[in-house]
């Protein structure tokens, strides 16, 4: 069973959360892999902001997400940084490129789980999740019946998995094994 964790991370927070999910899933026997959404301007931010620079190389060295990575997964996890209740433009560009998968119904029946961060509020992150969940529904994905993970407002993720992420990873692993 395979989980592909696809995310767009600017400050490194979603990267750290994705890493924690990957480890939690692997501890449950799931082949979990990380993929980044292309961000052509991230190097500019990394040069200007220390918080972006801290994880830039680790993020940049990950493989870039693609339609093939969506197809190869049993569980698709999307990490969504919220911008005014919507996904970032980079994430939207990635999702827009999935149109051929929609036409062929290539993702129909695969499991889906969103997670998000927001500097503004919990509700802002929830709105971004809802926005991307419309895409997931159109693609025929089956959302895992577990509340989406939303990180606390503007607080950087610690360098170790939290108890909540471990519980979510356990639930996701169960969903993958029983699907």
């Amino acid at each position: 069973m395979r989980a592909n964790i696809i995310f767009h991370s600017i400050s490194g927070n979603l990267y750290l959360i994705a890493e924690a999910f990957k480890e939690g899933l692997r501890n449950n026997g799931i082949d979990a892999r990380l993929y980044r959404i292309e961000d052509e301007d991230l190097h500019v931010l990394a040069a200007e902001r220390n918080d972006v620079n801290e994880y830039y190389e680790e993020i940049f060295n990950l493989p870039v997400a693609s339609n093939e990575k969506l197809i190869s997964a049993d569980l698709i996890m999307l990490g969504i940084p919220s911008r005014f209740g919507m996904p970032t433009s980079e994430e939207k560009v990635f999702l827009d490129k999935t149109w051929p998968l929609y036409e062929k119904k290539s993702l129909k029946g695969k499991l889906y789980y969103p997670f998000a961060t927001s500097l503004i509020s919990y509700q802002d992150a929830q709105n971004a999740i809802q926005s991307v969940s419309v895409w997931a529904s159109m693609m025929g994905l089956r959302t895992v019946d577990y509340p989406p993970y939303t990180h606390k407002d503007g607080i950087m993720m610690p360098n170790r998995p939290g108890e909540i992420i471990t519980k979510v990873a356990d639930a996701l692993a169960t969903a993958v094994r029983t699907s």
Side-chain angles (χ1 to χ4, degrees):
M1 296 282 143
R2 183 156 164 195
N4 287 346
I5 305 167
I6 297 169
F7 65 93
H8 178 227
S9 188
I10 299 165
S11 67
N13 214 17
L14 272 166
Y15 164 68
L16 293 172
I17 294 166
E19 273 285 341
F21 274 128
K22 179 184 84 173
E23 292 309 311
L25 288 166
R26 285 185 173 177
N27 289 339
N28 279 281
I30 305 297
D31 177 13
R33 301 177 188 197
L34 298 182
Y35 299 95
R36 66 182 171 92
I37 289 176
E38 187 74 56
D39 184 342
E40 294 179 7
D41 297 325
L42 192 58
H43 70 283
V44 175
L45 284 174
E48 296 173 356
R49 291 179 33 193
N50 285 338
D51 62 331
V52 176
N53 189 44
E54 185 172 356
Y55 297 101
Y56 172 76
E57 286 187 34
E58 292 173 53
I59 294 168
F60 186 77
N61 288 327
L62 291 171
V64 174
S66 65
N67 286 352
E68 292 74 26
K69 300 307 177 194
L70 292 169
I71 291 170
S72 69
D74 299 297
L75 168 63
I76 297 166
M77 295 178 66
L78 286 180
I80 309 160
S82 179
R83 293 297 178 267
F84 307 107
M86 298 176 285
T88 59
S89 58
E90 291 83 1
E91 189 132 1
K92 178 75 169 76
V93 166
F94 171 74
L95 296 176
D96 284 348
K97 290 179 181 179
T98 66
W99 181 258
L101 302 180
Y102 170 76
E103 290 182 314
K104 294 178 183 176
K105 308 287 186 237
S106 301
L107 302 181
K108 186 175 174 124
K110 291 183 179 289
L111 292 174
Y112 166 72
Y113 183 81
F115 58 101
T117 60
S118 171
L119 293 175
I120 299 171
S121 70
Y122 172 82
Q123 189 58 52
D124 183 58
Q126 287 296 309
N127 290 342
I129 286 171
Q130 184 60 37
S131 175
V132 175
S133 291
V134 171
W135 166 85
S137 176
M138 296 287 295
M139 297 302 275
L141 295 168
R142 294 182 302 131
T143 302
V144 174
D145 187 24
Y146 199 87
Y149 176 80
T150 304
H151 193 62
K152 287 187 176 182
D153 309 334
I155 300 171
M156 278 301 285
M157 176 71 184
N159 287 323
R160 61 187 185 286
E163 185 177 316
I164 294 171
I165 289 180
T166 301
K167 287 180 183 179
V168 175
D170 292 347
L172 294 174
T174 299
V176 170
R177 284 194 294 273
T178 59
S179 69

